[in-house]
């Protein structure tokens, strides 16, 4: 464990002064970068700093500092950033839940649609996904599900975004091949397998207004 | 980027089943800094692949910190604007001022002659040598090429406001151009569509010690010349004379009180370009007609503009004479340049 963090956790004033001089500005900058709004970021950083200092007292009358949970696996700065990120995400999720509660009428049910006749495709896809490594699934999830950019994923994995792009291309192509092979193994023809993979009602965009207008015109005729 | 089929995405979502135990900030920080063992790294990565909440925290925690030293306006975001501004500045420095004259004149015309619009609606009056508006000098329309040139008797009727033709001592700085229009009416001609504006401006590049205008006003293409003919005034400090063009060359020796037609070369060609520097006058117009006078317009010499390939037959719309040898003509088909006083020409 970092000596500075240990000293701060034990309430050493000199250590706190040093901590403030070393990390307070960095914490502000990190919080502003996370919140993307200066005032929100500063508020987040101030609240986090209070938690680090310790606002609650233990049974022995000593302040309970969040720094006590730092184990020294990574750098103190990296740990501070991760804890700050956790605080921000928790705060954001709480606000999001409030918003969703108020606007619950607008929320669509988040069910996973699986057409019954796509059982073969689902099985082939699941098998193909299990063959992927954890890093490959992380890349797919971060990019296609979370909407992270290549640069963001690159920062997470300490890789260049072009590397992430190449890997994603490779993974996607390999996954497609595996699914098609699984479908053919299940008895589907090549063309049928490709159609099953390509045709998805969610990929089709319909102009409802245009369709309704056409239907109305058809009825009037 | 290859698109992942929606069906595959939906199956990927189904597999997002987060384990109950999440990696703490210590592990995530160490993972980000690649400080974990291979086994630990693989387990954290496996968790991240299946846990959207931890991915969110990890993504937020990996965001680069804001730079407080970064200026509010990042200069590199304005690099294209700066480049465009620099290009405009360079163009403004090196572009010959006469090139913009036409557009400038169009812009200042309504302001300079506010009475022009109402006068368009007036009925055509019999010819009268009396100037109806001293600030509006409206020329008669351009007749067809075959028609004889009009005989204009201005006598002492054209009075230009002294302030307009500021003939005070020569100024090195540019005199603000003032449009001056006079109206001459003639029976049977629709004068409403025509206007001639004269502008006075000191030379951009005059010969030594002279205050003369040379080729400053560029005119419209030939088709537009009939509609709006520019009057080109030039001023000779030595002779206190004014020159103007409205198809024919005119000269005033009394600061614009009276004007007389200066016969040039005896041809019928209409003249649209003028450059006067002291007693050295160049004028040109239709069919490549170019005339040169070295004695203030008393004796004119026709100049044939040709190179080894062809002879200029287009209308000369502008003449720029930087000195006695360097003369540049502008036509619709290109520019012609001489550097030996008109003996040899080359097309540009």
């Amino acid at each position: 464990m970092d000596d500075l963090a240990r000293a701060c956790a034990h309430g050493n004033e000199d250590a706190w002064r040093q901590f403030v001089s070393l990390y307070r500005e960095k914490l502000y900058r990190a919080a502003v970068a996370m919140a993307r709004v200066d005032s929100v970021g500063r508020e987040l950083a101030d609240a986090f700093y209070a938690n680090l200092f310790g606002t609650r007292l233990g049974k022995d009358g000593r302040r309970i500092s969040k720094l006590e949970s730092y184990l020294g696996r990574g750098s103190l700065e990296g740990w501070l950033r991760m804890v700050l990120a956790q605080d921000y995400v928790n705060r954001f999720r709480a606000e999001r839940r409030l918003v969703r509660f108020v606007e619950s009428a607008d929320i669509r049910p988040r069910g996973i649609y699986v057409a019954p006749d796509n059982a073969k495709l689902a099985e082939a896809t699941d098998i193909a996904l299990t063959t992927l490594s954890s890093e490959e699934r992380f890349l797919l999830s971060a990019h296609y599900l979370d909407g992270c950019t290549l640069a963001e994923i690159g920062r997470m994995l300490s890789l260049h975004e072009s590397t992430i792009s190449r890997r994603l291309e490779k993974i996607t192509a390999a996954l497609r091949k595996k699914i098609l092979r699984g479908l053919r193994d299940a008895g589907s023809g090549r063309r049928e397998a490709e159609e099953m993979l390509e045709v998805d009602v969610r990929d089709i965009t319909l102009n409802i207004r245009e369709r309704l207008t056409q239907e109305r015109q058809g009825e009037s005729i | 980027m290859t698109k992942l089929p929606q069906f595959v995405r939906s199956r990927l979502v189904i597999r997002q089943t987060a384990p109950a135990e999440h990696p703490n900030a210590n592990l995530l920080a160490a993972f980000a800094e690649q400080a974990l063992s291979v086994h630990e790294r693989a387990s954290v990565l496996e968790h991240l692949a299946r846990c959207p909440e931890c991915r969110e925290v990890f993504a937020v925690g990996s965001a680069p910190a804001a730079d407080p030293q970064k200026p509010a306006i990042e200069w590199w975001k304005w690099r294209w604007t700066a480049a465009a501004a620099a290009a405009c500045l360079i163009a403004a420095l090196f572009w010959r001022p006469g090139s913009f004259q036409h557009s400038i004149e169009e812009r200042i015309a309504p302001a300079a002659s506010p009475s022009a619009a109402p006068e368009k609606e007036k009925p055509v009056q019999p010819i009268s040598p009396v100037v109806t508006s001293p600030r509006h000098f409206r020329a008669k329309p351009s007749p067809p090429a075959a028609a004889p040139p009009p005989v204009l008797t201005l006598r002492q009727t054209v009075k230009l406001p002294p302030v307009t033709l500021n003939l005070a001592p020569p100024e090195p700085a540019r005199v603000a151009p003032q449009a001056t229009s006079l109206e001459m009416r003639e029976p049977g001609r629709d004068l409403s569509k025509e206007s001639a504006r004269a502008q006075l401006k000191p030379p951009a590049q005059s010969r030594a010690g002279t205050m003369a205008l040379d080729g400053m006003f560029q005119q419209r293409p030939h088709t537009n010349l009939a509609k709006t003919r520019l009057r080109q005034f030039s001023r000779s400090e030595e002779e206190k004379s004014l020159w103007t063009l409205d198809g024919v060359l005119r000269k005033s020796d009394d600061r614009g009180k009276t004007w007389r037609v200066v016969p040039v070369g005896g041809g019928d060609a209409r003249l649209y370009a003028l450059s006067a520097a002291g007693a050295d006058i160049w004028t040109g117009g239709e069919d490549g007609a170019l005339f040169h006078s070295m004695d203030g317009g008393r004796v004119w010499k026709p100049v044939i503009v040709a190179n080894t390939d062809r002879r200029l037959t287009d209308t000369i719309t502008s003449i720029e004479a930087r000195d006695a040898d360097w003369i540049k003509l502008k036509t619709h088909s290109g520019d012609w340049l001489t550097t030996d006083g008109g003996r040899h020409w080359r097309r540009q």
Side-chain angles (χ1 to χ4, degrees), chain B residues 6 22 88 117 183 186 237 299 315:
Chain B
Q6 279 289 348
H22 298 275
C88 290
E183 184 171 15
E186 187 174 325
E237 184 62 21
V299 177
T315 299

Side-chain angles (χ1 to χ4, degrees), chain B residues 13 28 68 74 80 82 86 139 159 164 188 191 228 232 250 257 261 264 291 302 305 314 321 325:
Chain B
V13 169
L28 288 178
E74 295 168 351
W80 295 114
K159 291 185 178 180
T164 304
L191 302 180
T228 56
Q232 299 189 346
R250 301 176 190 280
K257 289 177 184 170
V261 175
V264 176
F291 302 95
V305 181
D314 290 333
D325 294 325

Side-chain angles (χ1 to χ4, degrees), chain A residues 25 29-30 32-34 69-75 78-79 81-83 85-86 88-89 92-93 96 112-114 118 121-122 125-126 129-130 134-135 137-138 140-146 148 150 155-158 165 168-169 172 175-176 179 197 200 202-203, chain B residues 1-16 22-37 40-70:
Chain A
E25 189 58 34
R29 281 190 271 151
V32 169
M34 289 173 194
S69 59
Y70 174 58
L71 300 178
R73 298 293 303 268
S75 67
W79 178 82
R81 286 172 63 88
M82 284 301 162
V83 178
Q86 183 68 61
Y88 174 68
V89 170
F92 181 74
R93 283 177 189 155
R96 193 166 52 183
I112 303 300
Y113 170 78
V114 181
N118 276 349
L121 179 59
T125 306
D126 288 343
L129 285 172
T130 53
S134 55
E135 189 184 50
R137 277 184 283 116
F138 171 77
L140 286 178
S141 303
H143 187 64
Y144 290 110
L145 300 186
D146 301 344
C148 292
L150 299 178
R155 272 198 299 273
M156 284 191 261
L157 297 181
S158 303
S165 175
L168 274 171
E169 288 279 356
T172 312
L175 190 64
R176 186 185 171 81
I179 294 170
L197 193 60
D200 191 312
R202 287 162 295 179
D203 291 327
Chain B
M1 182 65 65
T2 308
K3 200 176 173 185
L4 195 69
Q6 279 289 348
F7 189 84
V8 180
R9 290 188 200 202
S10 68
R11 299 310 296 178
L12 198 59
V13 169
I14 290 172
R15 297 179 69 83
Q16 300 288 305
H22 298 275
N24 59 25
N26 288 289
L27 272 179
L28 288 178
F31 177 81
E33 294 167 0
Q34 299 185 345
L36 293 178
S37 64
E40 283 176 322
R41 182 175 176 80
S43 65
V44 172
L45 200 55
E46 175 66 26
H47 181 91
L48 288 175
R50 298 169 64 181
C51 181
E53 284 81 13
C54 287
R55 277 202 308 273
E56 190 175 17
V57 171
F58 188 52
V60 171
S62 303
D67 187 0
Q69 303 303 324
K70 195 162 53 178

